[in-house]
């Protein structure tokens, strides 16, 4: 019998160019995974998305796109003299998607949430910050409950934050970094403003390129901050640059609006005294792409990824070539530790009207495969997901994909890439029914279990077919705040495995040790998975504290 890896390697892909009148669409045959249209119309575009612990996804775009296609609840209207487009607005600019019920509920934001940022607090509330105009200093809280709505404090931030990046910290606070013309950072709850000259050093006066910096919490508690084409390791407590990483080879910009994306690769061997951490940065737009695009010339996006061991004392970038060039892609960690690269375009750049040639095929990156055999092209969607689209992992292992509106207002007709209100899910091939005999099912603990740092956790699960006990791992994933091609707070920890014991027919137990510090896993809600031969179970929610 052929092994699964062997079968996958047989899935050859080839390039097909389908030429349309104004824009050739890039697609591929074969690959893996399946697409499903979940909703024809959720009323708004998914510029920002966050999954909460009740399996509901908070989605929002901006209050000044014009009238959305969904009404506010209970006949409510916003009458806001500060609003720039529609002062008296009875439409919603935020919705909640209930994954289990597959239904949409309109929500009411009071101020402009455009190009903002967020993190989830240890108790499971979404803490969203900043935006534009009357919302630029707002802190908004969204509690996970079936009737909850946004609560706002319009002066929750020290300074305006538009295109900033947030990260949840080991002490439960949120750090808010940068934003347009903000070469500094602050915290929620509000305290002081601290300067961050690195954001100015990486500022390109032509087009910025230092926005939505890629921020990852390193295992030593410092923050890895990547802006434009380079990165630092930053001690936010002492306001000190601990390490300066080399510029990414080629020197092309990777952060907004030259939007590549980035993930912290799965953290492993968590019981060792020195834990390694690696960061992957993929795609983006070459230097000068923005200026060229404004003149109608759409340069090919970057097709490279840079991978770097951020815990090394003298780290070096290792470069890899993706099968598809991509700007404005999203990178989503899958429960089995693979990385999904999805959405975006192969020409141009982020920002209004500047992207061309949607990349309809996601690509899976397998970090543990040998160099040169890590990428696999997946089956294409038929829906372009350009500027202002997003992707997040759901508890059942599907990837929720929505959004795309590269126009200043909602434009449904007569444009190259109409405003996209459709909600889709991508199911990686691990969800194929052919793998049902391999797929674990978690029996205990029950979802929403509370666990402590360093605690030994016994996970009981069933597998219908033969178990390969050496190929069982338990992972935990932090649901991320996805916007503008970056998923804030995203991290995956491999807790262990490989020693599953049989309890009764088809039932097994595996014991793992929870991470022992908030630097490895900030307190809060995570999705826990049992993964068998790369096939994940449906996840359960756990709260680590
Ligand atoms: C949404 O769009 C449909 C189709 O154009 C229209 O019939 C409906 O009235 C719109 N709803 C809202 C609330 O704008
Ligand atoms: C990008 O292009 C600008 C203008 O041509 C140039 O000044 C700058 O040095 C370039 N940056 C890199 C990293 O190549």
């Amino acid at each position: 019998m052929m092994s699964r890896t062997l079968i996958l390697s047989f899935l050859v892909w080839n390039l097909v160019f389908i030429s349309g009148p104004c824009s050739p669409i890039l697609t591929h045959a074969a690959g893996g995974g399946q697409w499903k249209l979940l909703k024809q119309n959720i009323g708004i575009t998914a510029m920002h998305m966050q999954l909460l612990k009740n399996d509901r996804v908070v989605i929002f775009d901006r209050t000044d796109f014009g009238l959305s296609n969904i009404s506010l609840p209970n006949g409510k209207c916003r009458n806001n003299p500060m609003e720039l487009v529609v002062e008296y607005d009875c439409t919603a600019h935020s919705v909640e998607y209930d994954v289990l019920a597959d239904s949409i509920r309109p929500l009411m934001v009071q101020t402009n949430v455009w190009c903002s940022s967020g993190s989830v607090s240890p108790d499971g509330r979404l803490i969203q910050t900043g935006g534009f105009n009357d919302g630029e200093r707002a802190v908004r809280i969204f509690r996970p409950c079936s009737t909850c709505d946004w609560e706002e404090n319009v002066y929750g931030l020290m300074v305006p934050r538009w295109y900033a990046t947030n990260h949840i910290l080991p002490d439960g606070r949120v750090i808010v970094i940068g934003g347009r013309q903000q070469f500094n950072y602050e915290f929620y709850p509000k305290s002081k403003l601290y300067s961050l000259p690195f954001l100015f050093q990486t500022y390109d006066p032509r087009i910025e390129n230092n926005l939505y910096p890629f921020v990852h919490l390193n295992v030593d508690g410092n923050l890895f901050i990547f802006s434009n084409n380079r990165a630092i390791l930053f001690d936010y407590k002492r306001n000190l640059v601990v390490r300066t990483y080399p510029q990414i080879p080629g020197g092309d910009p990777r952060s907004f609006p030259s939007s590549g994306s980035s993930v912290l690769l799965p953290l492993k061997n968590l019981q060792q005294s020195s834990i390694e951490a690696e960061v992957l940065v993929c795609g983006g737009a070459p230097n000068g792409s923005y200026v060229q695009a404004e003149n109608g010339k759409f340069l090919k996006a970057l097709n490279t990824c840079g991978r770097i061991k951020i815990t090394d004392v003298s780290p070096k970038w290792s470069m890899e070539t993706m099968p598809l060039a991509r700007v404005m892609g999203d990178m989503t960690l899958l429960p089995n530790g693979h990385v999904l690269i999805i959405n975006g375009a192969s020409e141009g750049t982020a920002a209004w009207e500047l992207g061309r040639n949607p990349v309809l095929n996601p690509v899976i990156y397998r970090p543990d495969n040998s160099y040169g055999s890590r990428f696999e092209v997946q089956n294409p969607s038929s829906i372009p997901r350009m500027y202002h689209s997003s992707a997040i992992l759901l508890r059942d292992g599907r990837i929720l994909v929505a959004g795309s509106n590269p126009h200043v207002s909602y434009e449904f007709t007569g444009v190259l890439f109409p405003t996209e209100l459709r909600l889709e899910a991508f199911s990686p091939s691990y969800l194929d029914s052919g793998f049902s005999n391999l797929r674990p099912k978690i029996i205990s603990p029950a979802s929403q279990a509370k666990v402590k740092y360093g605690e030994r956790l016994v996970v009981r699960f069933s597998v219908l077919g033969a178990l390969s006990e050496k190929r069982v791992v338990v992972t935990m994933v932090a649901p991320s705040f996805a916007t503008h091609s970056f998923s804030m707070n995203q991290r995956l920890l491999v807790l262990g495995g490989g020693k599953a014991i049989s309890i009764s027919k088809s039932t097994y137990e595996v014991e793992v040790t929870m991470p022992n510090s908030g630097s490895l896993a900030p307190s809060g809600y995570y999705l826990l998975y049992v993964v068998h031969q790369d096939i994940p179970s449906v996840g359960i929610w756990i709260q680590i504290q």
Side-chain angles (χ1 to χ4, degrees):
M1 205 184 108
M2 273 196 288
S3 79
R4 208 175 80 80
T5 339
L6 210 56
I7 294 169
L8 289 176
S9 68
F10 269 78
L11 299 172
V12 223
W13 52 271
N14 49 47
L15 272 172
V16 183
F17 289 93
I18 303 172
S19 295
C22 23
S23 89
I25 290 187
L26 193 62
T27 183
H28 294 261
Q34 284 181 356
W35 288 89
K36 186 172 178 216
L37 182 65
L38 299 177
K39 288 268 172 268
Q40 183 63 34
N41 183 347
I42 62 165
I44 64 167
T45 63
M47 192 187 294
H48 317 77
M49 288 207 282
Q50 171 76 55
L51 174 70
L52 297 178
K53 63 165 185 170
N54 56 358
D55 291 311
R56 292 162 184 249
V57 180
V58 177
I59 308 176
F60 51 99
D61 50 20
R62 52 187 275 236
T63 59
D64 53 358
F65 256 151
L67 295 173
S68 81
N69 197 246
I70 182 167
S71 299
L72 281 167
N74 314 319
K76 284 192 243 177
C77 296
R78 271 170 69 241
N79 189 4
N80 182 352
M82 288 284 286
E83 193 50 79
L84 298 174
V85 175
V86 188
E87 275 185 32
Y88 188 74
D89 188 350
C90 305
T91 67
H93 301 282
S94 175
V95 300
E96 181 192 73
Y97 175 62
D98 180 339
V99 179
L100 304 179
D102 189 28
S103 62
I104 289 286
R105 177 168 78 94
L107 302 174
M108 188 168 182
V109 281
Q110 303 289 343
T111 58
N112 201 343
V113 281
W114 183 15
C115 297
S116 58
S117 42
S119 288
V120 175
S121 65
D123 62 2
R125 295 169 302 151
L126 172 59
I127 313 286
Q128 180 272 347
T129 60
F132 181 65
N133 189 30
D134 60 342
E136 63 187 9
R137 286 180 58 193
V139 172
R140 306 173 188 83
I141 310 284
F142 189 87
R143 289 167 207 277
C145 91
S146 59
T147 54
C148 288
D149 210 331
W150 290 98
E151 300 160 33
E152 307 202 16
N153 170 4
V154 283
Y155 299 111
L157 292 176
M158 304 283 302
V159 296
R161 301 277 175 194
W162 198 26
Y163 301 85
T165 298
N166 294 14
H167 208 295
I168 185 76
L169 297 172
D171 64 9
R173 289 183 301 166
V174 176
I175 189 167
V176 190
I177 301 174
R180 288 192 94 164
Q181 301 298 322
Q182 296 296 350
F183 311 108
N184 54 49
Y185 62 99
E186 63 177 285
F187 298 93
Y188 169 83
K190 188 155 105 175
S191 56
K192 272 174 66 182
L193 194 64
Y194 300 85
S195 70
L196 185 52
F198 173 68
L199 292 178
F200 185 71
Q201 291 151 12
T202 50
Y203 171 76
D204 181 333
R206 295 172 302 170
I207 57 159
E208 303 177 80
N209 271 343
N210 65 341
L211 300 176
Y212 282 124
F214 306 142
V215 178
H216 302 293
L217 175 64
N218 190 17
V219 292
D220 63 4
N222 293 315
L223 295 171
F224 172 90
I225 306 178
F226 184 105
S227 169
N228 194 334
N229 56 14
R230 58 200 189 88
I232 53 171
L233 188 63
F234 187 65
D235 180 342
Y236 59 88
K237 291 181 193 153
R238 294 188 294 156
N239 191 358
L240 202 68
V241 175
V242 180
R243 186 172 297 155
T244 300
Y245 295 96
Q247 180 179 289
I248 193 165
D252 289 307
R254 308 277 178 161
S255 34
F256 184 89
S258 299
S259 305
S261 189
S262 172
V263 288
L264 178 69
L265 289 175
L267 300 173
K268 294 180 291 197
N269 304 317
L270 305 177
Q271 308 311 318
Q272 288 181 1
S273 55
S274 62
I275 301 166
E276 294 182 337
E278 284 185 283
V279 164
L280 184 69
V281 174
C282 291
N287 193 16
S289 178
Y290 189 99
V291 177
Q292 295 276 3
E294 280 191 314
N295 295 323
K297 188 158 186 283
F298 300 95
L299 300 185
K300 190 179 175 223
L302 301 175
N303 66 351
T304 53
C305 296
R307 180 167 167 172
I308 193 165
K309 202 169 279 177
I310 65 172
T311 41
D312 266 6
V313 183
S314 42
K316 280 198 285 290
W317 290 98
S318 155
M319 300 305 287
E320 297 176 72
T321 304
M322 296 188 284
L324 301 167
R326 195 181 307 250
V327 62
M328 295 182 279
D330 283 273
M331 288 169 76
T332 308
L333 291 167
L334 301 178
N336 60 8
H338 299 164
V339 183
L340 185 71
I341 310 172
I342 193 168
N343 296 344
S346 65
E347 287 175 4
T349 173
W352 304 132
E353 314 290 349
L354 297 184
R356 291 293 182 278
N357 286 349
V359 187
L360 300 172
N361 298 77
V363 167
I364 282 181
Y365 176 87
R366 294 180 170 82
D368 293 337
N369 277 17
S370 57
Y371 184 88
S373 60
R374 292 180 181 149
F375 294 101
E376 186 195 46
V377 176
Q378 304 294 298
N379 286 324
S381 170
S382 59
I383 305 176
R385 300 291 182 179
M386 307 295 278
Y387 188 39
H388 291 149
S389 58
S390 58
I392 54 163
L393 174 69
L394 298 178
R395 185 164 61 85
D396 60 16
R398 288 178 302 159
I399 309 302
L400 192 67
V401 175
S404 188
N405 186 20
H407 318 292
V408 179
S409 29
Y410 293 120
E411 302 281 357
F412 298 106
T413 53
V415 287
L416 201 48
F417 301 108
T419 302
E420 194 46 72
L421 303 178
R422 283 175 289 180
L423 182 73
E424 277 175 301
F426 176 69
S427 295
S429 58
Y430 56 57
L431 289 169
D432 290 356
S433 57
F435 294 127
S436 57
N437 261 359
L438 297 180
R439 187 170 300 118
K441 182 168 185 261
I442 297 180
I443 298 167
S444 66
S447 199
Q448 309 285 339
K450 291 186 195 318
V451 292
K452 294 200 168 60
Y453 287 105
E455 178 184 325
R456 296 215 161 187
L457 182 73
V458 174
V459 183
R460 180 174 286 202
F461 63 97
S462 62
V463 169
L464 291 176
L467 185 84
S468 167
E469 71 261 32
K470 291 213 175 65
R471 297 196 57 202
V472 174
V473 289
V474 178
T475 62
M476 62 186 258
V477 189
S480 52
F481 182 91
T483 191
H484 289 78
S485 305
F486 184 59
S487 286
M488 303 175 194
N489 310 293
Q490 186 171 223
R491 65 202 293 111
L492 183 147
L493 295 92
V494 180
L495 300 179
K499 273 179 285 183
I501 55 162
S502 176
I503 296 298
S504 60
K505 189 177 180 302
S506 308
T507 304
Y508 307 88
E509 278 182 1
V510 60
E511 188 181 280
V512 295
T513 307
M514 297 310 291
N516 58 19
S517 81
S519 302
L520 292 177
S523 177
Y525 286 86
Y526 289 75
L527 292 166
L528 183 108
Y529 295 92
V530 174
V531 182
H532 176 223
Q533 298 189 40
D534 284 344
I535 311 293
S537 64
V538 169
I540 58 166
W541 288 101
I542 54 159
Q543 186 188 22
I544 186 164
Q545 51 188 16

